Amino acid sequence: MRKLIVVTGGSKGIGRAILEKFAGQGFDVVTCARNETELADLEKSFRKAFPDIQAYTFKADMSEKLQVKAFTAFIAGLGRSVDVLVNNAGYFLPGEIVTEPEGTLESMINANLYSAYYTTRGIVPLMRQNKSGHVFNICSIASIKAYANGGSYAISKFAMLGMSKCLREELKNDGIRVTAVMPGATKTRSWEASDLPDERFMTIEDIAETIYTANALSPRSVVEEIIIRPQLGDI
Ligand SMILES: NC(=O)c1ccc[n+]([C@@H]2O[C@H](COP(=O)([O-])OP(=O)(O)OC[C@H]3O[C@@H](n4cnc5c(N)ncnc54)[C@H](OP(=O)(O)O)[C@@H]3O)[C@@H](O)[C@H]2O)c1
């Protein structure tokens, strides 16, 4: 039986690169996003690029608890164990705590934290059956460093790092590893408006490669935290 990776928010950006890396190594893949057309395009291009694996997609707004639960129920319905979960879906709203529009914190916590919390609660029981698995939480440099205009996004990402630490402690005796990934600026649509040169950003492929390598270690080791920045530093 092929291994299975679940990546939330995998239709583009970092999530897409992770799916492509693992699919290239023979994993079946499951992902979700809000845009159904982009999910259909993903299935089509994976059928062509990776004919030996199965790619499953599911339309869900991961800010909505009920939709997260529908997504994890879909995965449970596949009747398989999950080898790797990447809590990746999320986005950045710039702002400052005192002046950002009211509701920004709720939006950021729903999309960036509760999405991961409820996905984890749905998927970890499937890992426990096998006493193995690996959960990656895509946090951010904003999980460890405050910066201008970070606002509620940074609050949500600090919380995600906290969740990762708690989860690692809870799952260590189940053979399930937990890794917090804290990338700096990575060239995706989040940075479309920036006129900085590409060299100032990391590539999505480098993030995917790092995650693949951390997962490939023997079960005796866990890479607890990955801090990865552009060679020229934060933007
Ligand atoms: N790029 C960076 O510099 C950077 C740095 C540090 C951390 N991160 C983190 O990395 C993760 C991925 O970011 P990215 O830059 O790759 O973003 P991206 O290119 O905008 O891709 C985001 C992916 O998540 C999906 N998504 C977003 N909101 C969703 C929701 N509510 N429900 C379901 N799917 C959702 C998007 O599809 P739909 O829009 O169709 O839903 C898309 O597939 C985020 O958690 C982000 O905070 C990014």
Side-chain angles (χ1 to χ4, degrees):
M1 179 67 93
R2 283 188 297 271
K3 289 188 173 181
L4 186 68
I5 181 170
V6 175
V7 179
T8 64
S11 59
K12 46 189 171 268
I14 293 171
R16 175 70 174 248
I18 297 167
L19 289 173
E20 289 180 357
K21 176 68 196 178
F22 280 77
Q25 301 297 323
F27 280 64
D28 287 343
V29 304
V30 188
T31 194
C32 63
R34 291 164 298 181
N35 186 317
E36 223 165 354
T37 311
E38 289 181 356
L39 289 173
D41 288 348
L42 181 147
E43 280 194 24
K44 203 170 146 198
S45 73
F46 271 53
R47 265 198 299 276
K48 204 168 163 204
F50 312 107
D52 297 332
I53 66 108
Q54 185 73 45
Y56 304 92
T57 66
F58 190 90
K59 177 181 166 9
D61 181 344
M62 299 298 276
S63 304
E64 302 283 339
K65 182 176 18 173
L66 289 179
Q67 295 191 38
V68 179
K69 289 189 168 193
F71 177 55
T72 59
F74 166 76
I75 295 162
L78 297 175
R80 298 176 56 170
S81 178
V82 173
D83 297 285
V84 183
L85 165 64
V86 185
N87 285 310
N88 168 73
Y91 69 104
F92 170 59
L93 282 178
E96 294 184 347
I97 292 168
V98 178
T99 53
E100 64 192 9
E102 188 170 323
T104 304
L105 179 62
E106 287 85 342
S107 299
M108 290 285 86
I109 294 286
N110 284 335
N112 297 340
L113 182 69
Y114 288 164
S115 59
Y117 174 84
Y118 286 109
T119 305
T120 301
R121 286 167 59 92
I123 299 299
V124 163
L126 305 177
M127 293 178 162
R128 275 194 163 133
Q129 291 165 7
N130 268 11
K131 285 244 164 223
S132 73
H134 201 148
V135 180
F136 289 89
N137 288 330
I138 306 299
C139 303
S140 171
I141 287 295
S143 299
I144 51 169
K145 179 184 166 188
Y147 59 91
N149 257 343
S152 287
Y153 175 78
I155 297 174
S156 72
K157 292 294 188 179
F158 266 86
M160 202 163 179
L161 176 57
M163 184 178 90
S164 308
K165 290 174 188 280
C166 296
L167 197 61
R168 185 177 312 112
E169 205 50 37
E170 290 176 11
L171 299 182
K172 67 181 181 192
N173 292 321
D174 289 315
I176 300 171
R177 298 181 287 181
V178 179
T179 303
V181 185
M182 285 155 292
T186 310
K187 194 72 194 244
T188 65
R189 73 169 170 175
S190 319
W191 292 98
E192 258 165 17
S194 166
D195 51 12
L196 288 167
D198 280 356
E199 293 69 43
R200 285 300 283 115
F201 297 89
M202 291 184 289
T203 66
I204 53 177
E205 290 81 10
D206 279 350
I207 308 297
E209 190 67 37
T210 306
I211 287 172
Y212 184 80
T213 304
N215 176 251
L217 299 184
S218 89
R220 289 172 57 170
S221 309
V222 56
V223 178
E224 296 188 345
E225 294 177 1
I226 296 171
I227 297 174
I228 177 167
R229 288 187 154 98
Q231 168 66 10
L232 293 172
D234 288 335
I235 289 172

